[in-house]
Amino acid sequence: MSSVWAIFRREFAAYFATPLAYVFIVIFLFSMGAFTFYIGRFYEHNIADLSVFFSYHPWLYLFFVPAIAMRLWAEERRTGTMELLLTLPVPLWATVVGKFLAAWAFTGVALALTFPIWITVNYLGHPDNGVILASYIGSFLMAGGYLAIGACISATTHNQVIAFVVSVVVCFLFTISGAPLVLDFFRAWAPLALINAVASFSFLTHFMAITQGVIDLRDVIFFFSLIALFLAANVMVVDLKRTG
Amino acid sequence: MIEIAGLTKRFGPITAVAGIDLNVDKGEVLGFLGPNGAGKSTTMKMVAGFLAPDGGYARICGHDIETDTLAAQRRIGYLPEGAPAYPDMTPRQFLKFIAQVRGFDGAAAKSAIGDAVGKTELDPVLDQPIDTLSKGFKRRVGLAQAILHDPPVLIMDEPTDGLDPNQKHAVRRLIQGMAREKAIVISTHLLEEVEAVCTRAVIIDRGRIVADGTPAQLLARSRHHNAVTIVLPSGQAAAVAAKLKGLPEVAGVEQSTSNGSAAVTAYPKGGALLIEDVSAMAAREHWDVKELYAEAGRLDEVFRAVTTHDAAWARESRT
């Protein structure tokens, strides 16, 4: 466990060692604001809630989270520190988990910094803060899902651009897997059970359910098991690359 | 302390390491030599647990690197090729991270880091980002990282690459200082390094060991081993060469001239000692000798002889 903590600390500090963290957070917050107020027309709704704000999260994460995840492993491969990291006496799973948690904590920081909008909505009216809290939790879980996918893909390459682009595409498919674009592809040949299974992978469906204010255990389990699945895949990818 | 048997690694159709057997004991400093692409780094990567072998095994103090990985890795200090380190960290942060990962905390971490920093003389740059350090300091950060936990086994891929002569000397002194309690493997392209620090030299070529022995044993395989050279005015060279050829233990004589003086070199039969006979003859014959010296041998010559495939191929095809 102490090795997870050591890996976590180094990785988390690495975000803030360069301007990356600050640039990222500023642009993230700016985009959140721009989407909520200009595109989402937050004021014109005349409702004191944050549903407009949260409805853009999946789409913003689609680009922001792969940007955080892309460097996790690709950078280590490029600079050669991968060799150092993997020859330290740390179980591979601990390295994978430590890195993931650091990136997740970083997105948590960025998400937490959106708090002024929560203050604003409380100033303007009387929103249901329980729903807002649930939505924040849901948003954080969803970010974890995107991150786990991005981390796994980052482990397959030493090129961060490839890691980013592929992650965006895969994350996009997971986001909209309940939509006709994806389901029609399966409808022609797949059995109904598979189509339902694919549809149930939709981040949108699970996230939207949570933003209704009900944290259904099934949605939570969905995100956690997805994270676990992709972290396990991450371990396997790194291990497979050892065999050359 | 290091046992390697049948270690093999293939990359697609290429066999990078083709069955290496090697044992390294405490107190040995093994110099790992070979042309580029011979499989030195690949072997070291497998022994350190970065690459998985396709065959054979490597054991560190009895722990198999593939099945008992963590126990083996705890006992290895490893300096990868190019001494990679996180560029945004300072050496202090970096070594703290390594100490933490290796299970040191508090006072133990502090003293381990202090020791490593002292031995590698990193003090002046402890708080500068590694990115901004000179090549020599970067290499020393890598060394500090490798020796931090005082491991019984040290594996270093080109530890003195990119260092200036003073720094090379310092690193060699460091290695010699640790040699008694550890099993050390270093890879290098510098043959003088092998003579300076290694107790044993192993030359590999195309994934196989082609020579293994003490530096002196390898030198003995050189054509120049115990060869004697006399430098004298060029007018006398022919006569001297003829006389030398007459000695019973001389296999051959070669001469070269430059700036009015000639160097006549007598090569011994089967590594016999010639120096006494030759100097006695020089005194007897009253040659006008400017220099007279014997050679221990030339490692670069041995290296070329055992690793030049074209030459070997040419020899084989002639017979």
Side-chain angles (χ1 to χ4, degrees):
Chain A
M1 226 45 213
S2 70
S3 42
V4 174
W5 176 234
I7 302 277
F8 172 88
R9 285 223 317 217
R10 195 210 67 75
E11 196 71 42
F12 190 72
Y15 282 107
F16 292 93
T18 60
L20 180 102
Y22 307 100
V23 170
F24 178 87
I25 286 175
V26 167
I27 295 179
F28 177 75
L29 296 178
F30 176 79
S31 313
M32 284 283 185
F35 274 89
T36 307
F37 290 102
Y38 291 97
I39 298 168
R41 299 176 183 280
F42 176 68
Y43 289 122
E44 288 162 36
H45 280 278
N46 261 326
I47 305 168
D49 72 9
L50 288 181
S51 59
V52 175
F53 167 70
F54 284 112
S55 70
Y56 287 108
H57 280 203
W59 308 104
L60 287 170
Y61 282 161
L62 200 50
F63 291 95
F64 280 104
V65 173
I68 294 176
M70 68 181 186
R71 50 169 291 287
L72 275 178
W73 295 94
E75 172 105 337
E76 302 257 10
R77 268 193 211 291
R78 196 182 55 79
T79 59
T81 45
M82 189 84 161
E83 192 168 343
L84 188 82
L85 192 63
L86 294 189
T87 51
L88 289 170
V90 181
L92 187 52
W93 68 263
T95 310
V96 168
V97 170
K99 275 176 164 290
F100 167 77
L101 288 180
W104 203 13
F106 177 70
T107 51
V109 169
L111 184 62
L113 286 175
T114 60
F115 72 91
I117 198 162
W118 172 71
I119 293 174
T120 307
V121 78
N122 271 281
Y123 175 76
L124 291 173
H126 301 282
D128 185 340
N129 279 320
V131 172
I132 292 178
L133 180 66
S135 303
Y136 265 114
I137 292 171
S139 176
F140 185 58
L141 286 175
M142 182 172 59
Y146 284 127
L147 261 181
I149 294 172
C152 179
I153 289 167
S154 174
T156 62
T157 176
H158 60 264
N159 187 320
Q160 298 197 27
V161 177
I162 292 176
F164 176 78
V165 173
V166 175
S167 300
V168 169
V169 171
V170 175
C171 289
F172 179 69
L173 292 177
F174 268 94
T175 309
I176 58 144
S177 69
L181 175 68
V182 173
L183 292 184
D184 284 351
F185 172 76
F186 289 95
R187 264 200 196 108
W189 52 274
L192 191 66
L194 181 66
I195 296 169
N196 286 339
V198 170
S200 72
F201 274 116
S202 170
F203 277 28
L204 270 184
T205 317
H206 291 280
F207 176 61
M208 286 308 175
I210 295 177
T211 57
Q212 301 306 309
V214 187
I215 300 187
D216 189 327
L217 194 61
R218 277 174 301 180
D219 298 319
V220 175
I221 289 175
F222 166 76
F223 282 118
F224 273 114
S225 47
L226 186 106
I227 289 170
L229 182 77
F230 272 93
L231 292 187
N234 192 339
V235 170
M236 284 197 294
V237 167
V238 175
D239 205 40
L240 269 178
K241 289 239 164 187
R242 279 186 67 233
T243 61
Chain B
M1 285 167 119
I2 307 175
E3 303 161 63
I4 301 171
L7 205 62
T8 303
K9 183 75 193 169
R10 282 181 286 272
F11 296 112
I14 300 156
T15 303
V17 176
I20 283 194
D21 303 295
L22 200 60
N23 284 305
V24 187
D25 292 323
K26 185 166 154 176
E28 277 192 294
V29 180
L30 188 141
F32 213 33
L33 299 166
N36 284 327
K40 300 187 296 286
S41 289
T42 306
T43 304
M44 293 178 129
K45 281 174 188 177
M46 285 192 282
V47 176
F50 178 61
L51 286 177
D54 291 319
Y57 65 81
R59 289 190 193 133
I60 309 296
C61 306
H63 301 277
D64 190 293
I65 190 71
E66 283 303 301
T67 57
D68 196 4
T69 310
L70 296 187
Q73 286 179 335
R74 263 182 223 116
R75 289 164 176 81
I76 304 178
Y78 178 49
L79 174 70
E81 193 178 9
Y86 294 102
D88 299 321
M89 296 178 110
T90 65
R92 190 192 299 280
Q93 293 166 335
F94 179 64
L95 294 177
K96 249 186 203 161
F97 164 66
I98 299 289
Q100 207 179 11
V101 167
R102 289 205 175 269
F104 292 90
D105 42 29
K110 213 168 220 170
S111 84
I113 293 170
D115 271 3
V117 167
K119 280 183 187 154
T120 50
E121 295 165 23
L122 272 176
D123 272 309
V125 297
L126 263 187
D127 294 305
Q128 283 179 34
I130 291 171
D131 211 13
T132 65
L133 300 183
S134 69
K135 216 173 168 189
F137 273 120
K138 275 184 196 165
R139 183 77 32 162
R140 282 192 264 168
V141 171
L143 280 170
Q145 164 275 125
I147 62 172
L148 186 109
H149 55 299
D150 194 21
V153 169
L154 253 182
I155 297 170
M156 299 186 278
D157 204 344
E158 303 193 353
T160 60
D161 184 44
L163 302 185
D164 68 35
N166 294 335
Q167 294 166 335
K168 274 182 191 157
H169 181 71
V171 168
R172 285 172 195 166
R173 242 189 12 224
L174 176 67
I175 292 172
Q176 279 167 333
M178 296 184 297
R180 222 172 320 137
E181 304 99 66
K182 297 185 196 306
I184 301 178
V185 177
I186 61 171
S187 77
T188 180
H189 280 299
L190 305 170
L191 299 167
E192 89 260 12
E193 190 151 287
V194 174
E195 295 177 66
V197 293
C198 296
T199 59
R200 182 173 164 200
V202 166
I203 303 179
I204 71 167
D205 185 40
R206 292 182 293 181
R208 289 175 205 283
I209 293 179
V210 291
D212 181 355
T214 64
Q217 284 168 341
L218 289 192
L219 285 174
R221 293 168 65 163
S222 161
R223 200 168 68 100
H224 284 86
H225 178 60
N226 288 343
V228 175
T229 301
I230 302 176
V231 178
L232 67 184
S234 49
Q236 306 175 12
V240 167
K243 283 271 183 194
L244 285 177
K245 261 181 210 154
L247 282 171
E249 306 221 285
V250 168
V253 176
E254 278 175 20
Q255 20 176 329
S256 62
T257 40
S258 66
N259 290 336
S261 56
V264 182
T265 305
Y267 297 98
K269 281 180 186 154
L273 267 174
L274 287 183
I275 184 84
E276 283 177 20
D277 290 353
V278 173
S279 56
M281 179 180 261
R284 211 163 51 235
E285 306 278 336
H286 301 292
W287 290 338
D288 190 6
V289 175
K290 290 182 190 162
E291 286 175 42
L292 188 152
Y293 57 86
E295 289 181 61
R298 296 182 189 172
L299 213 45
D300 61 338
E301 198 180 68
V302 180
F303 181 85
R304 275 201 306 275
V306 298
T307 61
T308 314
H309 336 128
D310 295 346
W313 180 81
R315 247 196 330 271
E316 276 163 29
S317 60
R318 244 184 280 131
T319 52

